[in-house]
């Protein structure tokens, strides 16, 4: 799956991957005007016919995609989705909200974001634009949070809509290797044996008590097949542009001179050294991209390891040591400080900078989930995963081949 993707090939793929959505829209258009006068038996008959035809379309899509060389999934998702959707909007009628959302065989999406699962613990305005964009493409979508693990609730809501596959879409800015939570979702919740690792208290062979909450296999709740798509990462080709915009806005508001500044992205951090190193690398890659665009004297990422006091008391001074050394080495005057994925750790780094009398500028104070770039990333991710689902027709929970 390493061949280049041709324009004609992508045209075929996009049409095939969106067959379900397009067909649902046409069925709905035919039935919506008279739905109020239909009896339940008539509606059930129409839904049954629709399900059968969608199944036929899926089989045709799988056959035709099997004849195509689609290249790797990442190459597919690197295409400009806005241009693809614009090109095919007159060919593929994308559905909005409709009564046929419960047809079995659809692909649903769980939009995963950080939060406690309680009112006020996460920002709906960040995830709702993603949910709405995916629903406009015909994907039943539910938002779930990091803890407590309300994944079952979201999965049950998608089950009620008759989905066959569920895409697990990670919107936290923690890439493929940068957090242990990916093992909890893939291994414990998803039941994928090679990733089954409980970072908390194992509760038998399949359950895990992690951060005070019990995670159980999705198979106990749903018959849907879970597809874990590549997680969002600060250095993603689309998402890193968010930080360029943040830098540009800061530069404008603070009369900055990038040549005399260093650009530092602060991350949450991880308990595992390997996960923490992966986070630092992702943040640094994104920061270096900003440096290339803006001309900063230096740019890198650091983590505060903020959930673990014994690690945080070492990580925060070490981060500020690196900042101080960079300022001296590059003859820079101040720091542009970005809270990329950090919370209280960001404040701790600021406090240490204040203690040392180091000048800094604080940029946008919230993690930028929900921006236009994030919505575009989500659309590409889901469309790419849809291509994988249709091509491979997985029967067991799995991850997409572009995970790493």
């Amino acid at each position: 799956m390493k061949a280049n993707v041709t324009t004609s090939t992508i045209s075929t793929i996009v049409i095939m991957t969106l067959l379900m959505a397009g067909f649902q829209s046409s069925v709905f258009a035919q039935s919506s005007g008279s739905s109020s006068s239909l009896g339940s038996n008539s509606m059930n008959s129409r839904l049954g016919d629709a399900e059968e035809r969608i199944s036929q379309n899926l089989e045709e899509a799988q056959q035709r995609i099997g004849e195509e060389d689609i290249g790797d999934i990442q190459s597919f998702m690197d295409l400009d989705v806005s241009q693809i959707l614009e090109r095919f909007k007159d060919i593929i009628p994308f559905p909005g909200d409709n009564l046929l959302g419960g047809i079995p065989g659809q692909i649903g999406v769980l939009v995963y974001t950080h939060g406690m699962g309680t009112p006020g613990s996460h920002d709906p305005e960040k995830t709702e634009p993603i949910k709405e964009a995916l629903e406009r493409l015909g994907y039943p979508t539910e938002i779930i949070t990091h803890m407590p693990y309300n994944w079952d609730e979201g999965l049950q809501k998608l089950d009620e809509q008759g989905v066959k596959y569920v895409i697990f879409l990670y919107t936290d800015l923690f890439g493929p290797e940068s957090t242990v939570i990916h093992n909890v979702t893939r291994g414990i919740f998803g039941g994928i044996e090679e990733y089954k690792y409980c970072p908390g208290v194992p509760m038998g062979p399949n359950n895990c008590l992690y951060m005070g909450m019990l995670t159980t296999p999705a198979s106990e709740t749903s018959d849907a097949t879970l597809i874990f798509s590549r997680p969002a990462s600060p250095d993603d080709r689309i998402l890193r542009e968010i930080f360029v915009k943040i830098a540009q806005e800061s530069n404008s508001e603070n009369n900055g001179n990038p040549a005399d500044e260093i650009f530092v992205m602060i991350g949450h951090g991880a308990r595992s050294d390997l996960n923490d190193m992966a986070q630092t690398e992702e943040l640094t890659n994104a920061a270096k991209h900003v440096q290339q665009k803006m001309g900063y004297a230096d740019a890198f990422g650091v983590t505060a390891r903020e959930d673990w006091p014994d690690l945080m008391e070492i990580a925060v001074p070490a981060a500020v040591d690196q900042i101080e050394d960079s300022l001296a080495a590059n003859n820079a005057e101040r720091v542009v400080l970005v809270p990329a994925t950090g919370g209280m750790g960001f404040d701790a780094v600021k406090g240490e900078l204040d203690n040392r009398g180091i000048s800094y500028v604080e940029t946008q104070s919230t993690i930028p989930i929900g921006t236009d770039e994030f919505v575009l990333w989500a659309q590409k991710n889901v469309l790419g995963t849809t291509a994988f689902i249709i091509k491979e027709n997985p029967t067991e929970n799995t991850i997409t081949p572009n995970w790493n």
Side-chain angles (χ1 to χ4, degrees), residues 35-54:
S35 61
S36 60
S37 62
L38 292 174
S40 60
N41 290 338
S42 176
M43 178 60 76
N44 288 338
S45 176
R46 285 177 178 268
L47 291 177
D49 291 343
E51 179 182 345
E52 181 178 352
R53 291 177 63 189
I54 283 180

Side-chain angles (χ1 to χ4, degrees), residues 22 109 126 147 315 320:
V109 183
K126 295 182 180 181
M147 55 185 185
V320 177

Side-chain angles (χ1 to χ4, degrees), residues 226-239:
L226 294 175
I227 312 296
F228 295 88
S229 63
R230 179 180 172 84
S233 176
D235 56 354
D236 178 88
R237 188 180 66 86
I238 297 174
L239 300 182

Side-chain angles (χ1 to χ4, degrees), residues 139-165:
Y139 293 92
T141 303
E142 295 293 333
I143 297 170
I144 58 175
T145 56
H146 171 55
M147 55 185 185
Y149 299 113
N150 61 338
W151 311 333
D152 286 340
E153 181 181 347
L155 195 56
Q156 288 166 356
K157 288 180 179 179
L158 292 180
D159 263 3
E160 291 169 2
Q161 299 181 65
V163 302
K164 180 179 180 181
Y165 297 101

Side-chain angles (χ1 to χ4, degrees), residues 26-141:
S26 63
V27 172
F28 178 61
Q30 294 168 11
S31 62
S32 60
S34 57
S35 61
S36 60
S37 62
L38 292 174
S40 60
N41 290 338
S42 176
M43 178 60 76
N44 288 338
S45 176
R46 285 177 178 268
L47 291 177
D49 291 343
E51 179 182 345
E52 181 178 352
R53 291 177 63 189
I54 283 180
S55 178
Q56 292 172 354
N57 276 295
L58 276 171
E59 291 177 4
E60 178 185 353
Q62 287 161 0
Q63 179 179 354
R64 292 183 63 180
I65 281 185
E67 297 169 355
E68 297 283 350
D69 180 6
I70 69 170
D72 63 272
I73 296 298
Q74 188 61 50
S75 294
F76 177 81
M77 288 192 290
D78 279 346
L79 296 172
D80 191 310
V81 71
S82 61
Q83 292 180 356
I84 292 173
L85 297 180
E86 178 67 25
R87 180 174 179 179
F88 290 105
K89 71 177 183 179
D90 295 328
I91 301 173
I92 312 290
F94 298 106
D97 295 334
N98 63 72
L99 297 176
L100 301 180
I103 296 174
Q106 274 194 325
I107 299 174
V109 183
L110 290 176
V111 177
Y112 169 94
T113 186
H114 205 79
M116 298 291 290
T118 56
S121 68
H122 76 285
D123 302 318
E125 65 271 15
K126 295 182 180 181
T127 47
E128 285 294 337
I130 296 173
K131 182 177 189 291
E132 292 168 1
L134 295 177
E135 288 177 337
R136 285 196 297 270
L137 291 180
Y139 293 92
T141 303

